[in-house]
Structures are given as C-alpha cells and as structure tokens.
Amino acid sequence: MFYGKPLERGEGELYRIEGQCPEEMAGLERSAEVVWLCSRLKENPSLVQIAEADLLTDNAINWWLERNPNAQTSATRLTFGVLDKESSIVKAYSKARKEYGKGYNAALFDIRGYTVVCSYSKSTGEYSLVWCEPVCKNTRRDRFLNTIYFDNNSATLNLFYYKGRNTFKLRVSLASKSLRR
C-alpha cells in the first residue's frame, strides 16, 4: 500500500504520486512478503517517497486547515500551529523576505500548493503557521494574498488581498491570535 497525492507533471512527464508506505515506518516488524512488496514499490518510478521535511509540512498544513475551517469567512480567532524546525516551511521561511514587527517576524510564500504565512516569535524562538490557503489559480478573478506587513511597531500583521479590481485586508494579532476583517 502506498498513500500519497499526485505530483504536478510537466509536459511529457510520467504520472507520479508522492507519498509513503506505512510499512516503511520505523519500528514496525515486517514479514518477508512485506519486505518484497516494499522493494517493488521503491522500484516503481511513478511512486516517489516523500521527504521527511515535506511530510512535516503537509501535516502542519492539514492540522491548520482542520482547526481553522472558517478562517476565510467568519472566524474571529485563529489557532496557530507550532512548526517543527525540520519542516520545509521553516526552511522556506529562512530564505523568504521577512516583515519585522514587535516581538515577531513573518514571511509570506507559496509551498506545496498553499500560500502560507509563517511567523517567528523572538521571545520563544518558535515558528508558527499563522495563515494557510490554497494558492490562487487566477489572480484576476480569485482572492489573491499579495502582501503582508506589520502595523507600526506592533504585533498586528496585515494580510493585503486583491480580488479582481478590489482590495481588502485582514488583521491578525500574533499576540492574541485574533482576526479582524
């Protein structure tokens, strides 16, 4: 068994699925048949083993989406997810352009099909997943998270959006985890 999701393919590329085989997880005792089956799965070029950093990222994104189902519509509070330092979100954050606020830094970037906002708390040294939504497919029609910035020397992060010719912003307090529209 191999669980995963399809990878985007370029023109002429083979259809590929990125994921993992539960039998490959550490600490499980495997029979000879399972070992043989797992070796066959590894030989299949259509099945790509997911990197540990990407698995941590996928889990963090799924966790955030489950706990913040109304974030884009009616929520007034958010639940931030603390990120493992080995996550590919944290690695992408270290390379991204940062915004600096009172006690926090934040960065906006796309990763694994999602637009995310990751913050770093200067007091705790923790990285948090503040905001997450699917990447905008059509910037002329759909809501498109374009920019983030902090209010003057505060912990309030502004998420600036375009939707067609209209603009709007959401305000997220990183200290109280509140959301204002």
Side-chain angles (χ1 to χ4, degrees):
M1 294 186 296
F2 190 88
Y3 299 101
K5 62 182 183 180
L7 290 171
E8 290 192 23
R9 359 181 255 181
E11 193 171 315
E13 279 189 336
L14 181 67
Y15 185 81
R16 297 182 316 153
I17 299 172
E18 179 185 48
Q20 65 183 14
C21 187
E23 289 78 11
E24 289 288 309
M25 298 172 96
L28 296 178
E29 195 168 318
R30 301 179 296 179
S31 66
E33 293 83 2
V34 170
V35 171
W36 179 84
L37 182 59
C38 288
S39 68
R40 288 303 213 187
L41 289 174
K42 286 180 183 177
E43 293 172 5
N44 187 338
S46 298
L47 304 176
V48 179
Q49 185 73 23
I50 191 169
E52 184 67 26
D54 290 338
L55 180 60
L56 291 169
T57 291
D58 288 352
N59 290 340
I61 288 170
N62 290 335
W63 184 94
W64 193 94
L65 292 171
E66 286 174 8
R67 280 161 182 77
N68 298 290
N70 299 322
Q72 293 188 27
T73 56
S74 63
T76 58
R77 296 197 52 78
L78 296 173
T79 303
F80 298 165
V82 176
L83 297 167
D84 187 301
K85 287 185 170 65
E86 298 302 316
S87 165
S88 57
I89 292 177
V90 173
K91 291 176 184 170
Y93 170 86
S94 67
K95 296 175 186 171
R97 186 176 72 84
K98 308 208 185 23
E99 297 294 324
Y100 302 96
K102 186 176 182 180
Y104 297 92
N105 300 339
L108 167 70
F109 51 92
D110 292 346
I111 189 165
R112 301 193 55 78
Y114 290 89
T115 299
V116 300
V117 176
C118 177
S119 73
Y120 174 76
S121 171
K122 296 173 189 173
S123 62
T124 65
E126 291 182 335
Y127 295 89
S128 297
L129 183 55
V130 173
W131 190 259
C132 180
E133 62 186 52
V135 169
C136 177
K137 299 282 189 214
N138 185 339
T139 57
R140 293 182 177 174
R141 183 188 67 218
D142 302 329
R143 56 187 272 158
F144 169 59
L145 180 53
N146 184 57
T147 308
I148 61 170
Y149 59 93
F150 282 97
D151 284 341
N152 293 335
N153 199 25
S154 76
T156 301
L157 186 63
N158 294 287
L159 309 179
F160 188 80
Y161 280 90
Y162 286 107
K163 184 170 183 181
R165 295 181 185 207
N166 299 321
T167 62
F168 65 96
K169 66 180 168 181
L170 303 176
R171 290 181 174 87
V172 178
S173 170
L174 299 183
S176 67
K177 300 179 182 177
S178 63
L179 174 65
R180 289 185 325 208
R181 298 180 189 284

